Each structure stands twice: as structure tokens, then as C-alpha cells.
Amino acid sequence: MPIVNTLGSPAYAVDTNVDAKQTQATPTEFKRNQLIYRPCGVICIVEIESGRHHNPMNAVKQTRKVVRYRGDVQGVGFRANAIHQGRGLNVKGFVRNEPDGDVLLDVQGPAKDLNELLRRISSSMERKINEALIDEREPLPDRDKFSIRY
């Protein structure tokens, strides 16, 4: 049974019979018993018994949202609050202050967790937010945590 890499980025497949080779198409099929090396440095293992591609972040379809918050959102603990609200949710990305006074949230994860994060932020900072502009984008493969960027 072939394994399908559902990520949009190319991956590197290695097995004991051949040298490393870069795959070209997406989705890409892999055989069982292979280690899959991605350019971002993530190593995924194709399980021998089940033949399934094992990568916890890819188990559920990933969604990415970029949100620009406008209002009295800087100097009020907005970024720290966003990180706090993300605890317990499977979200990766960052939050940062923008030079124009806005706060930018760029985060990805399962749609359920993203929607919950946005709900929590909106609820906890509703008096400070005048407007939230939401843009949905393609997920990025190199996200590993949710943090404040400066």
C-alpha cells in the first residue's frame, strides 16, 4: 500500500535499497519502511506495520490564519494574552506588534483549535479590539511553536 505525503512541499525519501532522492510531485507516494526527510528538517517515519505516514501535526488537516488586530492593542498585554489563550490548543505560529500600531497574529493548526484561539482572544480583549481582519493562507511546514516575535 503506498503512502501519500499530503504536504505541499517536496520531501526526501530514503530507504535501505536506494540513495536519497528528491521527490517531485505533490502528493507524493512513498513505500513502506522509509524515513522521510523534509527540507525543513522534520523527519517523519512511515510505520512498518500499518504503512501509515506518522507525523502528529499532519494527522489533522492544518489551517493557517493571519489576523490583523486594530484598536488599542499595543502596550496592553495583547501578545502575552494571545500566548496564554493558546495554551492547551494545538496551534503553531507567532504574534507580534506592527509599526503601524496593529498586532499581527500568524497561526496554524486544526481549524477547531484556531477558531477556539480566535474566540478566546476576541473574548478576553474585546474592549481593546476595534477590528480584526482575517486572511486564510496555506499552512507552512516549518512551524514548531506558538510564540511572541519582536
Side-chain angles (χ1 to χ4, degrees):
M1 166 186 243
I3 307 308
V4 178
N5 170 15
T6 57
L7 289 180
S9 63
Y12 295 89
V14 177
D15 69 24
T16 55
N17 299 325
V18 296
D19 292 329
K21 62 180 184 263
Q22 184 173 6
T23 61
Q24 299 135 331
T26 300
T28 304
E29 292 187 358
F30 297 101
K31 296 178 186 173
R32 286 183 176 183
N33 306 331
Q34 291 181 329
L35 295 178
I36 301 168
Y37 295 87
R38 290 216 168 70
C40 63
V42 175
I43 300 174
C44 302
I45 300 171
V46 177
E47 297 175 8
I48 296 170
E49 296 78 14
S50 66
R52 287 189 288 171
H53 181 189
H54 178 70
N55 187 340
M57 274 299 282
N58 296 326
V60 176
K61 184 177 186 309
Q62 297 291 296
T63 303
R64 178 177 169 216
K65 293 187 180 184
V66 177
V67 184
R68 180 172 289 275
Y69 291 99
R70 294 192 168 146
D72 185 21
V73 292
Q74 288 192 12
V76 294
F78 193 100
R79 294 172 300 162
N81 178 64
I83 298 299
H84 176 74
Q85 299 303 332
R87 289 193 179 142
L89 300 175
N90 185 13
V91 295
K92 312 290 184 214
F94 65 89
V95 60
R96 74 171 177 225
N97 285 342
E98 295 290 287
D100 62 3
D102 294 347
V103 170
L104 185 75
L105 175 75
D106 186 336
V107 67
Q108 68 188 45
K112 177 180 152 191
D113 287 345
L114 285 186
N115 292 334
E116 178 62 17
L117 175 63
L118 298 184
R119 187 198 66 74
R120 289 178 184 182
I121 292 172
S122 293
S123 175
S124 64
M125 301 300 285
E126 71 181 325
R127 293 186 179 170
K128 302 295 181 183
I129 300 170
N130 293 339
E131 185 177 27
L133 305 171
I134 303 173
D135 184 24
E136 198 160 313
R137 301 198 184 156
E138 287 296 315
L140 299 173
D142 60 347
R143 297 281 171 93
D144 62 348
K145 62 183 178 177
F146 182 39
S147 62
I148 295 174
R149 278 202 188 159
Y150 297 93

